[in-house]
Amino acid sequence: MKSLLKPIRSSILLQNFVNCHKTSFACFVHQFKTQKPIYYPDRQEETKRMQKQLQNQLVAEKNEKADLPKDHYYKLLCVPRDATTSQIKAAYYALAKRYHPDAGKDRHQASISKRFEDILNAYRCLVDEAKRHEYDNS
């Protein structure tokens, strides 16, 4: 009978030790925890705000394109109106190295990517002879 009680006593002691250790550790962990306020935005208001922001950007882009001078693409690539295709390509590659979004680690990444898109559009228009002729005549 004594041999049966010995393992039970040791298991009870072990359980008490583990429980005591858990409680003291739990108190220590939660001692420095603070409650932070949780902010849940109103989804409808957020979607309306985002739609207004996109509309404002589209209107601004349309206004910018309407005010462009006739030789805007040439000025963008810094080439004369009578530039050859090889001169246009050389100017494009030089500007692409400078304004490519992946090349720079700058804070103004959005403006750089916008500038690169404009340069790419100018290059595509001026390298193709048919598009260039149409651009010059418009």
Side-chain angles (χ1 to χ4, degrees), residues 88-106:
I88 293 171
K89 284 183 182 179
Y92 167 72
Y93 289 130
L95 290 171
K97 285 180 185 177
R98 178 192 248 172
Y99 291 107
H100 196 277
D102 293 340
K105 297 176 182 171
D106 198 9

Side-chain angles (χ1 to χ4, degrees), residues 64-82:
E64 286 177 7
K65 290 181 181 179
D67 298 336
L68 296 178
K70 192 169 184 176
D71 58 346
H72 174 70
Y73 283 164
Y74 293 106
K75 287 182 180 178
L76 203 68
L77 292 177
C78 303
V79 294
R81 287 184 69 93
D82 59 343

Side-chain angles (χ1 to χ4, degrees), residues 25-90:
F25 182 70
C27 292
F28 178 71
V29 169
H30 297 293
Q31 180 179 357
F32 298 106
K33 237 179 191 181
T34 58
Q35 292 290 335
K36 294 181 182 177
I38 300 173
Y39 171 69
Y40 293 106
D42 186 15
R43 291 184 184 257
Q44 291 178 346
E45 288 180 19
E46 284 294 313
T47 53
K48 286 178 186 177
R49 185 184 63 80
M50 293 296 290
Q51 287 173 353
K52 285 181 184 177
Q53 187 177 9
L54 287 173
Q55 287 174 354
N56 291 339
Q57 286 177 354
L58 292 175
V59 168
E61 288 177 7
K62 286 180 184 178
N63 291 339
E64 286 177 7
K65 290 181 181 179
D67 298 336
L68 296 178
K70 192 169 184 176
D71 58 346
H72 174 70
Y73 283 164
Y74 293 106
K75 287 182 180 178
L76 203 68
L77 292 177
C78 303
V79 294
R81 287 184 69 93
D82 59 343
T84 62
T85 308
S86 61
Q87 289 174 334
I88 293 171
K89 284 183 182 179

